[in-house]
Amino acid sequence: MKVLVEGIGSMVFGPQLRYYNEAGWELVGIDITNKSFGLYKNIKPYIVPKYKDPECFRFIEEIIRREKIDLVFPTVDEGLMEWSARKGYFKDRYNTTVVLSDQRVIEICTDKWKTYNFFKDNGIPTPATSLEMKYDLLKPRMGRGSQGILHAKDAGPDFNM
């Protein structure tokens, strides 16, 4: 089985590599920089443009076609919506399965306000949240990790939740 993995320099890829190897899969990896440690592992690597580049998926599609990819495991937040939107296309055109949730699920999971409302609507305990800067801890709706977290007293008038 030939598998395309992205973000081969990310913290996510490192631990996953062991399991990919145990499965005996042939790996093709993509990343946006030639400094990714995954370029130096036992995989076939490619450098691709960032997801915000309109040519990005043209490059990726060419890799899928050329390498005859069976499975794709997207893990980079910035590309999840586009991968999800293309699941049917890649399946129909190349018989490639993109292992990823549908766009509606990704939309909920990548927007902290939508995640909060989903949790509330489904009885899942979650900390109180507001779009009105009611609490001391502020975090942008989009983003990952601790990027953008501020204490309310440090947030300027341009802080975008």
Side-chain angles (χ1 to χ4, degrees), residues 112-157:
K112 292 167 188 65
W113 180 247
K114 290 180 181 179
T115 301
Y116 167 76
N117 284 306
F118 177 84
F119 285 0
K120 293 294 283 183
D121 293 346
N122 289 281
I124 301 168
T126 187
T129 301
S130 171
L131 293 179
E132 299 168 4
M133 297 177 65
K134 290 172 46 173
Y135 303 103
D136 290 338
L137 183 66
L138 306 176
K139 190 169 185 180
R141 285 177 68 168
M142 308 292 191
R144 55 180 138 149
S146 59
Q147 288 180 321
I149 291 180
L150 293 173
H151 191 277
K153 67 178 172 50
D154 298 326

Side-chain angles (χ1 to χ4, degrees), residues 29-42:
I30 60 174
D31 209 308
I32 60 170
T33 178
N34 64 357
K35 294 178 175 66
S36 297
F37 78 90
L39 298 172
Y40 309 100
K41 298 295 181 180
N42 190 23

Side-chain angles (χ1 to χ4, degrees), residues 63-148:
I63 294 165
I64 289 171
R65 184 196 64 74
R66 181 183 317 135
E67 296 292 339
K68 297 178 177 44
I69 298 295
D70 298 300
L71 288 175
V72 178
F73 286 107
T75 58
V76 177
D77 287 359
E78 291 82 0
L80 296 179
M81 287 297 280
E82 292 297 325
W83 276 111
S84 186
R86 289 171 167 78
K87 287 191 318 184
Y89 173 78
F90 286 132
K91 185 65 173 173
D92 293 345
R93 180 120 192 211
Y94 302 104
N95 199 30
T96 299
T97 300
V98 178
V99 182
L100 187 62
S101 297
D102 291 333
Q103 286 179 290
R104 180 182 171 287
V105 174
I106 294 166
E107 190 175 293
I108 291 169
C109 293
T110 57
D111 182 322
K112 292 167 188 65
W113 180 247
K114 290 180 181 179
T115 301
Y116 167 76
N117 284 306
F118 177 84
F119 285 0
K120 293 294 283 183
D121 293 346
N122 289 281
I124 301 168
T126 187
T129 301
S130 171
L131 293 179
E132 299 168 4
M133 297 177 65
K134 290 172 46 173
Y135 303 103
D136 290 338
L137 183 66
L138 306 176
K139 190 169 185 180
R141 285 177 68 168
M142 308 292 191
R144 55 180 138 149
S146 59
Q147 288 180 321

Side-chain angles (χ1 to χ4, degrees), residues 12-36:
V12 173
F13 177 70
Q16 289 174 343
L17 183 58
R18 171 182 164 202
Y19 300 104
Y20 292 142
N21 289 334
E22 286 176 4
W25 293 341
E26 184 179 349
L27 296 181
V28 175
I30 60 174
D31 209 308
I32 60 170
T33 178
N34 64 357
K35 294 178 175 66
S36 297

